[in-house]
Amino acid sequence: MSGNGTQDDARQDDPVALARAFASARYHAELGGEPLDFGVGECVPEIEERLPASEYAFITAWNPDAESQPLVENTRSDDALVARLDATGAPYRRTWAQAPDGGHREAGWLVAGLTAERADAIGRDFAQAGILAWRAAEPVRLHMLMPRPDGADLPHVDWIE
């Protein structure tokens, strides 16, 4: 995930602000019918019923290194992520993240059956500051893919070094 739009001040130079921005975003998964809305710290039984698996992740390739990129670059990165997800054999569905004020929207993918470790690795390969990962029947967790800074005691946030 990245920081831009209304999150301009939440860049990699302030990882706690960036984590807060990711944790406050709303995520919307397209699984047939109306998109399902979810967020960090929430359980998502509707998603787990429609796309059964033991583990889940939300991964984007947009705006690597939390730096805003042109749409053409984000589309190219997204295409590369789709190829990578195809190679895993795990089912995935279009998902997007949106700032609470609706000012920023970013495309990504909900992936079912991908371990958190593998999802973290893919996020790193696409220079993402964070991804979402969770086990079925447990709350959604934010994995910040960077060292844990001081003052980073945020609920449902894991700092993955």
Side-chain angles (χ1 to χ4, degrees):
M1 288 180 297
S2 65
N4 72 3
T6 59
Q7 301 168 357
D8 278 334
D9 58 344
R11 303 229 184 222
Q12 295 252 21
D13 59 337
D14 189 348
V16 175
L18 188 60
R20 284 189 180 116
F22 293 166
S24 68
R26 298 305 298 166
Y27 300 82
H28 309 274
E30 294 181 0
L31 297 171
E34 292 294 314
L36 297 171
D37 179 67
F38 65 100
V40 172
E42 299 173 7
C43 291
V44 287
E46 300 88 0
I47 288 175
E48 295 163 6
E49 289 170 13
R50 293 186 192 181
L51 192 63
S54 60
E55 295 184 73
Y56 298 86
F58 167 81
I59 307 171
T60 183
W62 280 41
N63 301 320
D65 296 319
E67 295 293 331
S68 184
Q69 298 293 313
L71 180 59
V72 67
E73 292 299 323
N74 283 329
T75 300
R76 187 175 299 128
S77 295
D78 190 63
D79 290 345
L81 177 56
V82 166
R84 178 76 178 270
L85 295 176
D86 283 342
T88 71
Y92 58 91
R93 301 290 185 275
R94 175 55 81 191
T95 307
W96 68 92
Q98 191 159 6
D101 67 2
H104 173 68
R105 180 173 160 156
E106 188 165 303
W109 300 96
L110 170 67
V111 187
L114 197 63
T115 67
E117 294 80 14
R118 198 159 179 198
D120 291 340
I122 293 170
R124 279 193 181 98
D125 288 348
F126 284 88
Q128 294 300 300
I131 66 158
L132 303 184
W134 71 97
R135 293 183 171 276
E138 294 181 6
V140 173
R141 299 198 64 83
L142 170 59
H143 285 200
M144 293 301 292
L145 304 177
M146 59 184 65
R148 184 179 192 278
D150 291 335
D153 295 325
L154 303 171
H156 306 288
V157 176
D158 302 311
W159 297 85
I160 312 295
E161 297 186 47

